[in-house]
Amino acid sequence: MIKKFAIGLCVSILVTTAMYQLYQSIERQQSHSQQMTGQFLQIQSKRTELMQELAEVQARENPSDHDLWLIGHLTKTIEGLDKVLGGVEAGQQRVERHYLRQWSGLIGVFLGLGVFAVVYARDPEGKLSAQDRQLIQQPLDSISGIRLDPASYRTDPAPVSGGSNFVTGRIRQHSPTELRIRGGKIIQAFAAAFLVGPLASFAIDAVYLTNDILSRGWDAEFSMITNSLVMLASFGLGTLLILSSGGSSVTVDGQHQAFRFLGNTDAIPFRDIASLQLNNVLVTGRHTFNNHQIQLNLKDGRSHSLLNHAGQDQMTADLILLARFTGLPIAVPA
């Protein structure tokens, strides 16, 4: 309950902050727009006056030397004002682009966090199916397709790289001959919340750059798109790290009877595994919480952590699925 309240409070703070920043950004944009519009109108009014004066001088039948000098002077002044007007227009476009990027990023963050909040509210810990709920309520020895092996039970859990106090991954049927560990919905929604804002800003810059290339060719300004790419790459890396915490990338290959691990060329054949085991692991450190783990007990005495997170019911359902799929027994205390 405390965890749900803390997550809800943090999401509320982030959403409120994003909305407040969006409101402030709109106010600043309106102020800048009014200032630049006023400056543009003032220069344009001055240009109109000079154009009228130039037309009057040019209309004289016998212009004097002073008139000729004045014509040249007014012409150069008007050309200078045209350049200033062009600069003001370009400045307005840059300001509009800057605020549009900022707004799209904030709205993206707002939507991403909103989706995360909805997913967490509807499926806070990895919702179990009706079949899963029915299975975990039964004793293991009464479930069809399940064998128990007390002799292979290990008292020491396999080492893990870390832990999590929510469901980070589930074992799912990928095909009739293959199981895979997939990140939980909470992990996926949280990762998406990180990435939506930078993607929205990048999309805005891509549209502006496309228009710029069509009008100016390869003399277009690429600095903004490169900044967006850097931000997108940074947040993308963070997203990948978040998704990778959803459990190791494991494929349970029923056709070749082996566990395959991403980045590791050495597969673990079913024949080398004595049993599967469910552990209750206490994670200590800055925060302390109970974790649950599915480990592979190898016949040579080693053990391997397959999946670990805080969802005991989800872990139990995944253990049953894995045992039925592989035909391996489940180790239980004698």
Side-chain angles (χ1 to χ4, degrees):
M1 185 66 182
I2 295 176
K3 181 176 66 176
K4 292 181 181 180
F5 174 77
I7 291 178
L9 179 62
C10 290
V11 170
S12 299
I13 291 173
L14 288 171
V15 170
T16 303
T17 303
M19 293 179 66
Y20 178 68
Q21 289 183 344
L22 181 61
Y23 170 75
Q24 283 191 321
S25 177
I26 292 174
E27 280 196 330
R28 287 194 298 268
Q29 192 274 337
Q30 289 177 343
S31 176
H32 289 164
S33 179
Q34 289 174 357
Q35 291 177 3
M36 298 187 78
T37 300
Q39 184 181 8
F40 183 86
L41 293 175
Q42 185 179 4
I43 297 172
Q44 196 174 46
S45 176
K46 182 64 176 177
R47 183 184 183 280
T48 302
E49 293 178 5
L50 295 178
M51 285 293 294
Q52 291 175 350
E53 185 178 354
L54 177 61
E56 291 176 0
V57 175
Q58 288 177 333
R60 293 171 184 172
E61 295 183 359
N62 297 310
S64 63
D65 292 340
H66 176 73
D67 292 337
L68 294 175
W69 172 86
L70 186 57
I71 290 172
H73 174 70
L74 291 173
T75 301
K76 290 181 180 179
T77 304
I78 291 170
E79 291 175 352
L81 290 178
D82 287 338
K83 292 180 180 179
V84 173
L85 288 172
V88 172
E89 287 182 337
Q92 282 182 315
Q93 291 178 357
R94 284 194 294 269
V95 169
E96 290 174 359
R97 177 178 178 179
H98 167 76
Y99 281 108
L100 189 57
R101 291 178 71 254
Q102 191 175 41
W103 296 342
S104 61
L106 290 172
I107 292 172
V109 170
F110 174 77
L111 292 176
L113 290 173
V115 171
F116 170 73
V118 170
V119 170
Y120 187 79
R122 295 186 59 184
D123 190 13
E125 296 292 351
K127 191 174 182 179
L128 291 168
S129 66
Q131 183 180 7
D132 285 343
R133 287 195 298 270
Q134 183 179 5
L135 282 175
I136 64 176
Q137 290 172 0
Q138 303 178 42
L140 287 175
D141 56 3
S142 68
I143 301 175
S144 62
I146 296 297
R147 295 184 295 119
L148 303 183
D149 183 9
S152 65
Y153 184 79
R154 310 280 173 84
T155 56
D156 295 326
V160 296
S161 58
S164 176
N165 59 351
F166 54 90
V167 177
T168 59
R170 296 293 308 275
I171 299 176
R172 300 294 191 188
Q173 190 94 32
H174 181 70
S175 71
T177 61
E178 193 173 275
L179 299 180
R180 288 185 183 177
I181 293 179
R182 295 180 181 174
K185 292 180 180 178
I186 297 297
I187 284 288
Q188 294 170 357
F190 191 62
F194 265 79
L195 201 57
V196 173
L199 273 174
S201 296
F202 177 78
I204 296 298
D205 283 335
V207 171
Y208 273 96
L209 179 62
T210 301
N211 292 333
D212 204 8
I213 291 176
L214 291 175
S215 61
R216 298 170 53 193
W218 294 110
D219 292 332
E221 183 181 352
F222 287 86
S223 60
M224 295 296 286
I225 197 73
T226 54
N227 292 338
S228 290
L229 281 172
V230 170
M231 180 177 292
L232 185 60
S234 301
F235 278 83
L237 179 61
T239 300
L240 291 175
L241 292 175
I242 292 172
L243 290 175
S244 66
S245 67
S248 53
S249 298
V250 180
T251 298
V252 186
D253 189 343
Q255 183 176 359
H256 297 91
Q257 299 283 292
F259 286 82
R260 304 187 185 279
F261 302 88
L262 182 65
N264 191 340
T265 56
D266 296 327
I268 301 179
F270 291 175
R271 64 176 180 273
D272 293 344
I273 301 171
S275 62
L276 309 171
Q277 182 171 320
L278 179 64
N279 297 323
N280 186 10
V281 182
L282 181 66
V283 176
T284 58
R286 185 175 180 182
H287 303 285
T288 301
F289 49 88
N290 284 326
N291 238 31
H292 305 281
Q293 176 194 55
I294 294 178
Q295 78 174 25
L296 307 179
N297 294 328
L298 275 63
K299 292 179 180 178
D300 61 6
R302 295 178 299 150
S303 58
H304 185 90
S305 178
L306 189 69
L307 182 63
N308 67 291
H309 55 65
Q312 182 176 11
D313 291 344
Q314 290 78 7
M315 195 75 75
T316 303
D318 288 351
L319 177 69
I320 295 170
L321 171 64
L322 188 62
R324 283 176 157 179
F325 183 84
T326 61
L328 294 169
I330 296 176
V332 293

